[in-house]
Amino acid sequence: MKALFVMAAPFAAFLCAATPVAAQSVFDGTWKVDTSTAQFGGKPMIRTLKAGKYSCVSCPEPWTIAADGAFHPIKGDPYTDDVSVTVIDPMTVKFSYRKAGKVNGDEVWTVSSDKNVVTQKGEDSSSGNGTPVTYETQQTRVAAAPAGAHAISGSWRGKSGATVSDSGTMVTFRTEGDNLTMTYPTGESVTARFGGPAVTMANDPGNTMVKFVRTGPSSFVSTMMREGKVASVTTVTVRPDGRTLDYSNDNKRNGSTAKFTATKQ
């Protein structure tokens, strides 16, 4: 799923990193992220919309396109080839995303009257089997917009309490011998051996590879990679109750961090 634009995507991205170790049945089952526990840190998201141009300043590969409602190519996002930006009014902007000529996501950003919170509401179908993830998330302003820029401009950081469909917040783990299989409602899956080499995730348009290092009886570190570069590092710990997972993610592509929990279903 897209990770550069959709605030819902970090939940799915971190789950993709959460691959449990072999023979640890405590990990087995289906888990659901509790978005109310999310804590975001690190570098903020920075964007600018001014003079008819939109810039994703904090993207791993920054890009700028015309905000004219037409699709324009971008670089650096394995889930998106083209983006369109449409200004609805001084507080509202619509974004659409396209891969291989097919639209795989739409969202509307609406800034609050005090210009300190932006709400993002949309649908992302960029996953392996096209199952849509619907979401409504919010971000808080941490730096003002440049003079004369649209209200969505400036620096922003995510807030807890997002509303995300189950397709974007759930994962199933199953251990068998030294192998662990994880499967998502959106079609991505991987079977890998703890301590083994990185394995490519099946049905992931981003061609993500995952490897794991055990750090304790109920914890491990998972590293996600793309094109030989580390994309993110996630530490996962099962609490003594056996029903709660703690996630701590360090996104190496954009410098952001996130912590949250998931509950066994």
Side-chain angles (χ1 to χ4, degrees):
M1 294 168 56
K2 291 190 290 290
L4 298 183
F5 313 105
V6 182
M7 286 305 294
F11 297 119
F14 301 154
L15 286 173
C16 288
T19 305
V21 299
Q24 286 287 335
S25 61
V26 66
F27 289 98
D28 288 0
T30 298
W31 300 81
K32 182 177 180 178
V33 170
D34 180 356
T35 62
S36 69
T37 66
Q39 301 176 50
F40 299 99
K43 294 182 179 179
M45 176 183 285
I46 306 172
R47 54 200 175 225
T48 303
L49 176 53
K50 185 177 181 180
K53 297 284 187 179
Y54 173 81
S55 297
C56 185
V57 180
S58 59
C59 285
E61 294 185 34
W63 48 266
T64 299
I65 61 173
D68 58 2
F71 279 99
H72 298 280
I74 67 165
K75 295 182 178 180
D77 184 354
Y79 304 93
T80 304
D81 293 333
D82 313 289
V83 178
S84 72
V85 181
T86 304
V87 178
I88 306 300
D89 59 45
M91 307 294 276
T92 311
V93 177
K94 180 182 178 181
F95 292 79
S96 293
Y97 309 101
R98 191 168 65 180
K99 179 72 174 179
K102 180 180 179 181
V103 174
N104 62 10
D106 290 290
E107 62 183 357
V108 174
W109 296 356
T110 304
V111 180
S112 61
S113 58
D114 64 5
K115 298 185 179 181
N116 288 327
V117 176
V118 61
T119 298
Q120 297 167 299
K121 185 175 182 179
E123 180 175 291
D124 176 5
S125 58
S126 65
S127 61
N129 63 10
T131 296
V133 175
T134 58
Y135 56 91
E136 183 171 338
T137 68
Q138 291 187 324
Q139 297 178 39
T140 301
R141 183 181 295 281
V142 295
H150 190 277
I152 70 165
S153 304
S155 298
W156 304 83
R157 179 167 289 127
K159 293 181 63 178
S160 63
T163 300
V164 185
S165 60
D166 287 352
S167 54
T169 58
M170 300 185 76
V171 63
T172 299
F173 297 144
R174 178 175 59 84
T175 55
E176 184 175 353
D178 290 335
N179 294 317
L180 181 285
T181 298
M182 63 179 181
T183 306
Y184 304 93
T186 49
E188 298 88 345
S189 66
V190 65
T191 298
R193 177 174 57 85
F194 174 66
V199 176
T200 300
M201 186 175 296
N203 297 320
D204 172 36
N207 296 316
T208 303
M209 299 190 73
V210 188
K211 66 178 181 180
F212 331 113
V213 175
R214 183 174 180 174
T215 55
S218 300
S219 63
F220 62 91
V221 173
S222 176
T223 301
M224 298 178 67
M225 296 172 289
R226 295 194 185 105
E227 298 181 346
K229 297 181 180 180
V230 174
S232 67
V233 177
T234 302
T235 299
V236 180
T237 304
V238 179
R239 294 185 184 179
D241 64 9
R243 302 199 61 81
T244 307
L245 286 176
D246 289 313
Y247 289 83
S248 179
N249 178 270
D250 183 2
N251 188 318
K252 299 298 185 181
R253 285 173 56 80
N254 62 20
S256 65
T257 63
K259 295 181 180 180
F260 53 91
T261 66
T263 304
K264 196 169 187 178
Q265 303 299 289

